[in-house]
Amino acid sequence: CNTHFWAIPYKGGGGPILVAPLNKSFRVPPHCKNLLNGHTRPVEALDFSPIHPSLLASGGDDGRVIVWSIPDEGPKHAADISSAAFHSSIGRHSVRQLLWHPFLRGGLVSTESDTSVRFFDLEAEKQASCFSLPNPPNCACFSGDGNALVMTGKDGKVRIFDLRSGSMVDESNRNDEKWDLNRQICFRNMSGNDFDETSIITTGSNLSSRRIVSTWDIRKMGQSSIETLSLDSGIGTLFPSVCPSTNLLVLSSKGDCTIRFFNLIDGNLRECNSYKAEGEGLRGGAMIPTSLHTRETGKVEILRYLRMTPKVIEEIRFYLPRSDNLKGYFADDVYKPFVRPKVSADSVTKYLSDFNWTMEWETVSLYTPNSIPLSQKPVEVKKGPT
């Protein structure tokens, strides 16, 4: 999902996709017709563009990569591949994951079942580059600066590949114990008023079949992880999400009713209260990205999460308890400013050819105008008995 829409693979022949606006509640009819029908086999990958919220990329077992342009109110009728904004066939191999580049307009990366990684330039409607990995990854994500791809694999290692050359530039040292790492996410950690280098969070399982979560320093991949926590003996894959404003790590997994929360402080994990939903277990979930219109800062809302079960997709909102006399202030002790890549006007082709290219960062704050930060609240002096 993004700040405007959510999307899921839907039941039916081929690979239909259901897309709907976040602010709309409705019952899906038994024979829903407002579907995106561009794939001939099941869809394995979906990703919304962080720059253009109306663009949705999809990939499936049919080897197709399709980019859809979604209307503001969601699809009103069925759409096939002829109405897609872009489509490409990569051959007989399945598309496993799609990643929009965080700051390049029209930059889209696909990972495939044959270890190929392709970088598409959608503005030029072509494939800009392609390279192969030494072994199939379980998951891929961009580094915090967008210049590298971070991969995890079944050998328990985290590998970093340069996006331009396709060569491996670093890997973790995991010789003491074999782990199966399933998922990872990169984020820019904040310490005090300074932003440090990109950190990495991985989830997986160890030899004892216990699910684990680890944090890594991208500058010290040859060393051990900063911290590793053994959680439980569950069998579902743990999916991590990080809120950049609150440094809150969210862990969920298929089949579980529990959503775990951890506070990230200098790469260390401090467990918070968990949320346990009633009814059926999770089939899928996603954290709604942080923005001014997806967080009620006046009520100290720290997270919005979409939880999918076999029968319903529900939005869950989490709030930090505060006394009534504090709710009139902006909680600057909770909502910290965070950085993100500044959208570049350069093309994917220029980025790949210019090795001296440098990116710019921008600072984002959830501060609402005309509100008083809590740190500036007047000190109340209580008078004692006279």
Side-chain angles (χ1 to χ4, degrees), residues 88-119:
S88 175
S89 178
I90 61 174
R92 57 187 178 87
H93 300 288
S94 302
V95 177
R96 292 305 182 200
Q97 192 173 358
L98 290 171
L99 297 168
W100 287 94
H101 198 275
F103 59 84
L104 288 177
R105 299 179 186 273
L108 180 66
V109 170
S110 69
T111 63
E112 300 155 22
S113 57
D114 68 336
T115 73
S116 295
V117 177
R118 301 176 193 269
F119 197 1

Side-chain angles (χ1 to χ4, degrees), residues 210-243:
R210 291 189 61 84
R211 296 192 294 189
I212 56 174
V213 56
S214 303
T215 57
W216 308 77
D217 187 337
I218 201 170
R219 299 164 296 183
K220 303 174 183 178
M221 294 305 298
Q223 303 179 15
S224 298
S225 59
I226 299 173
E227 184 175 10
T228 296
L229 296 181
S230 176
L231 301 178
D232 55 33
S233 299
I235 59 175
T237 298
L238 290 169
F239 296 92
S241 304
V242 173
C243 176

Side-chain angles (χ1 to χ4, degrees), residues 56-73:
L56 170 66
S58 63
D61 287 341
D62 57 359
R64 288 179 176 178
V65 175
I66 304 176
V67 176
W68 308 90
S69 181
I70 310 299
D72 292 341
E73 299 299 324

Side-chain angles (χ1 to χ4, degrees), residues 119-139:
F119 197 1
F120 294 96
D121 184 349
L122 301 185
E123 291 187 338
E125 297 186 352
K126 67 176 184 178
Q127 177 181 301
S129 66
C130 179
F131 60 89
S132 296
L133 304 174
N135 49 26
N138 282 339
C139 184

Side-chain angles (χ1 to χ4, degrees), residues 14 26 28 30 51 85 92 137-138 144 167 176 198 215 242 245 254 287 308 327 341 353 362 379 385:
F26 64 98
V28 181
I51 301 174
R92 57 187 178 87
N138 282 339
S167 59
D176 52 339
T198 299
T215 57
V242 173
S245 179
K254 291 182 178 179
M287 184 185 73
M308 184 178 74
K327 289 183 178 180
S353 60
E362 64 180 359
V379 178

Side-chain angles (χ1 to χ4, degrees), residues 155-157 172-179 207 216 223-225 228:
D155 58 357
K157 288 190 175 184
S172 63
N173 182 16
R174 183 50 59 193
N175 296 322
D176 52 339
E177 182 180 10
K178 185 175 180 181
W179 291 355
L207 289 177
W216 308 77
Q223 303 179 15
S224 298
S225 59
T228 296

